[in-house]
Amino acid sequence: MPAELDLSRRLPEARIPELPNPYFGKVRDCYDLPDGSRLLISSDRISAFDQILAVIPWKGQVLTQLARYWFDHTADIAANHVIDYPDANVVRGKRVTILPVEIVVRGYLAGSTSTSILTQYKAGKRQMYGHQLPDGLRDNQALPQAIITPTTKAFDGGHDEPLTAAEIIDSGLLTQTQWDEVSAKSLALFARGQKMAAERGLILVDTKYEFGVDDAGQILLADEIHTPDSSRYWIASGYEAALNAGTRPPSFDKDVIRSWVVARCDPYTDKIPEIPPEMIEKTACIYVEAFEAITGKAFVPDLGGTSPLDRVRAHLAPYFTG
Ligand code: ADP
Ligand code: MG
């Protein structure tokens, strides 16, 4: 990590009244422009357990630049929404109608949330998301093959509910043709992600894709791809030992903050304690390390403008309507 990482520069939110049609998501603040494009501004908010846990300096730039890296390296597999990148924290995408199913792909028996396959497996379940898992798998062991564990896309901030392929089609959430296309593309994207991660000493454990339909009816990969927010990565060199010890493999994803929170409360019912500054600093470093490990490139913090919001505003001024 660059020793000079300035932790005072933060983008907690990007509310820009001059931009039209705002949507303030958990992590990104979005605006739909009259020309059919959507600005997605990555803030530095970190979200888990359906809430915002903290603001992590540089996280927004890391996420935007990591998604960019992966969009660039997977465009041959799946057409994506990207038009351009007006700022280090901003992607301008073709606006699509997001399909109501989140395509989660998992290569390992992992996770800690109620919808994760490890949690369900430990509770004795073998049949989940329409898949039959073999007996005798250990915590964090590789699955015989990657599987899709789809969930409903909770547009209203609610909980994601597990689905099977049959339920998705029977309920009309997706047509058979749409399911065939997004499931094939998701498995191919995941395989590419795993292969490229492995070349850099990393394991892409699981991830989530969002697809949408454009005006011409074409399915595009939207949102983000293979970022630490949408994915879990492990460090390959520590994997085998952790598997044997039955401990969580080393990682640089937000499991660090999650684990800290879970050790102190039930995050779904209790008030989450304030994350201490050391944790925030550590997490900022983890995101930067993730960028560098995944891409093999140095992270160059964008120090333009008097503040990140000032810089984002200047870069987005051409789109101001109000
Ligand atoms: P959320 O809390 O809804 O997950 P995010 O912080 O992830 O919000 O912000 C991104 C939002 O924009 C998401 O709701 C995502 O589904 C949506 N989105 C991503 N890409 C596109 C796109 N190309 N067109 C329309 N919506 C998109
Ligand atoms: Mg989201």
Side-chain angles (χ1 to χ4, degrees):
M1 188 209 68
E4 70 280 10
L5 200 65
D6 180 350
L7 297 174
S8 73
R9 288 182 63 102
R10 300 175 182 207
L11 186 63
E13 51 185 33
R15 308 227 162 169
I16 302 178
E18 296 88 340
L19 289 172
N21 309 311
Y23 168 83
F24 303 124
K26 289 187 288 287
V27 170
R28 278 149 309 155
D29 293 335
C30 310
Y31 300 89
D32 286 334
L33 301 178
D35 67 357
S37 62
R38 182 179 180 94
L39 294 169
L40 290 100
I41 309 171
S42 289
S43 76
D44 293 331
R45 300 189 290 273
I46 186 166
S47 130
F49 315 113
D50 303 324
Q51 44 190 310
I52 307 301
L53 299 182
V55 172
I56 307 295
W58 301 107
K59 174 175 177 284
Q61 186 184 331
V62 164
L63 289 192
T64 304
Q65 297 307 316
L66 267 179
R68 179 177 191 161
Y69 173 83
W70 285 111
F71 277 129
D72 285 349
H73 285 89
T74 56
D76 60 316
I77 297 174
N80 62 55
H81 72 164
V82 175
I83 300 170
D84 56 16
Y85 298 90
D87 178 270
N89 285 58
V90 185
V91 59
R92 189 166 63 105
K94 196 170 187 182
R95 183 168 73 247
V96 293
T97 303
I98 298 287
L99 296 174
V101 177
E102 297 197 340
I103 310 295
V104 181
V105 184
R106 302 175 185 271
Y108 291 77
L109 189 67
S112 56
T113 63
S114 57
T115 51
S116 81
I117 56 175
L118 176 56
T119 306
Q120 297 188 37
Y121 194 90
K122 284 176 122 168
K125 275 186 83 173
R126 294 294 177 269
Q127 182 83 38
M128 50 193 102
Y129 297 96
H131 304 280
Q132 176 73 38
L133 297 189
D135 278 325
L137 289 178
R138 296 152 72 182
D139 289 22
N140 304 315
Q141 191 172 342
L143 300 174
Q145 64 193 38
I147 58 171
I148 302 181
T149 61
T151 58
T152 53
K153 161 95 180 148
F155 287 101
D156 52 0
H159 257 319
D160 302 338
E161 297 297 338
L163 292 168
T164 66
E167 283 165 353
I168 289 170
I169 291 148
D170 292 348
S171 64
L173 285 169
L174 301 183
T175 65
Q176 180 76 53
T177 313
Q178 287 176 325
W179 169 253
D180 290 345
E181 181 173 344
V182 300
S183 55
K185 285 192 169 163
S186 298
L187 290 173
L189 288 167
F190 189 68
R192 171 74 55 84
Q194 285 204 314
K195 179 171 174 285
M196 288 181 61
E199 286 162 7
R200 301 210 37 84
L202 302 172
I203 297 172
L204 178 61
V205 181
D206 43 46
T207 196
K208 178 212 67 173
Y209 304 108
E210 290 184 29
F211 292 87
V213 184
D214 70 7
D215 288 342
Q218 200 199 357
I219 291 182
L220 298 180
L221 176 64
D223 207 54
E224 61 187 331
I225 167 172
H226 299 168
T227 67
D229 274 16
S230 65
S231 318
R232 186 190 327 269
Y233 287 91
W234 289 332
I235 318 294
S237 61
Y239 172 70
E240 206 63 36
L243 182 69
N244 292 333
T247 56
R248 192 168 57 78
S251 70
F252 42 57
D253 56 25
K254 65 184 179 181
D255 275 359
V256 180
I257 281 202
R258 280 189 198 214
S259 311
W260 186 91
V261 168
V262 169
R264 281 158 185 82
C265 67
D266 175 349
Y268 291 106
T269 55
D270 305 338
K271 190 178 176 310
I272 292 187
E274 193 178 321
I275 316 290
E278 319 82 77
M279 275 305 295
I280 290 181
E281 189 173 331
K282 190 170 168 212
T283 306
C285 294
I286 288 169
Y287 273 92
V288 169
E289 276 166 34
F291 174 88
E292 299 191 336
I294 293 165
T295 65
K297 299 186 187 90
F299 178 71
V300 182
D302 191 330
L303 295 166
T306 53
S307 69
L309 181 58
D310 174 63
R311 189 199 71 222
V312 168
R313 284 184 53 88
H315 282 141
L316 297 184
Y319 302 107
F320 287 3
T321 55

